[in-house]
Amino acid sequence: MNNTKITFFMIVTDRDVVIADYAVRSYAKVKGIPFKLRVYSNWVSSALKKKYFSSWRKFEFVEIVENEWQTDDKKPIDPKLEGPFEKCATIWDRELKKIETPYHATVDADFEILNTKFIPVMLEQLERNPNLVAISTDYYPTNPECYDSYSDEVICLNERWNTWFCIYKQKALQCNVSHAYYEEIVSGTVRRNAWDETAYFQKTLKDIYGFDLEVLDFKYQPCFIHYGAFSKNVAIDETNVAIYRQLQILRKNGLFGNRDTITKKMAEKLDKIIFGRVDRTKYVDGWGKDRDENNKLLEAK
């Protein structure tokens, strides 16, 4: 795979491995583009590694990164932590710079490809515009009056080209600013000016390096699904993940396409009945926004 054009970089934990199984397998649909999917094992337990990694390695395009020191007996168990996992930004800062392909992409473990036609479109846009350094499937504009449920405060949350499927040119790696969450106090106030993970890194690419960033045309939304903060759905496991997945796909695309509102409404009702107590994806999508609201914002563009 010396001619690899793009490396998709996916971080997987115990919490999302059951949906990641669908995500990893969906890359088998990608044809005509030399690529590899680098799966980073973020404290995945030995039992889950044995069950899932062995089957993922059967795909020639899969490369799994495991750290020998991340053993079951060394796993932190502090309930105050976000699990025994490294933060995504920490991993991106360290691991993305090891990628040598012309393009690389951050892809979520709960992002599944349904139709691959959006990928060559994104790559073509990058190739056509020398100043374009990144393109994402989704974008959130700056929200100066964003309610932050974690702090119970209103903050200014700055724009972000979202990380669940964002392709970069290799030259983006010249930026040494961290992908970490960043905030500062607005002068003369107590209000926080915040940038979610990767947002400040992207701001630097744009404001300091002078690069452009873009978002994929909304019409390609039916080609993929981001399940959204899947790891927070603690009651979903191997026994019910298949029905959960099908309902989310139906909620987004319907059975007969985007205009199939009847199927979408039925799927939403079933979702509330079956997963109503555990499905929090509409409310914890990282930025505290409803996914439907984000879709409306994109469609308006």
Side-chain angles (χ1 to χ4, degrees), residues 195-255:
W195 288 262
D196 207 347
E197 279 191 326
T198 299
Y200 200 77
F201 169 80
Q202 294 171 342
K203 170 182 166 60
T204 305
L205 286 173
K206 187 176 69 167
D207 294 351
I208 304 301
Y209 289 86
F211 290 126
D212 298 327
L213 294 91
E214 290 185 4
V215 62
L216 179 68
D217 193 308
F218 181 81
K219 69 181 181 182
Y220 292 102
Q221 285 287 319
C223 294
F224 52 82
I225 183 165
H226 176 232
Y227 295 99
F230 180 86
S231 62
K232 298 184 186 299
N233 289 296
V234 294
I236 299 178
D237 55 29
E238 292 175 326
T239 65
N240 57 19
V241 67
I243 183 64
Y244 170 85
R245 169 182 172 268
Q246 286 295 337
L247 285 174
Q248 303 315 311
I249 293 174
L250 287 173
R251 282 183 62 184
K252 181 174 183 179
N253 293 341
L255 187 61

Side-chain angles (χ1 to χ4, degrees), residues 4 18 30 53 61 69 122 127 132 140 144 153 158 194 205 227 233 237-238 248 256 258:
T4 303
V18 293
V30 179
F53 287 9
F61 57 81
W69 51 271
M122 296 175 78
E127 291 170 357
L132 183 62
Y140 285 147
E153 295 175 355
N158 287 275
L205 286 173
Y227 295 99
N233 289 296
D237 55 29
E238 292 175 326
Q248 303 315 311
F256 305 105
N258 231 6

Side-chain angles (χ1 to χ4, degrees), residues 15 42-43 75-86:
R15 292 178 174 180
N42 189 3
W43 285 100
K75 229 177 210 183
I77 56 174
D78 187 344
K80 296 179 182 178
L81 298 177
E82 185 69 14
F85 311 119
E86 286 186 276

Side-chain angles (χ1 to χ4, degrees), residues 39-41 44 49 53 57 64-70:
V39 177
Y40 184 89
S41 174
V44 176
K49 285 181 182 179
F53 287 9
R57 284 194 173 97
I64 300 178
V65 180
E66 300 180 62
N67 294 307
E68 294 182 0
W69 51 271
Q70 289 185 357

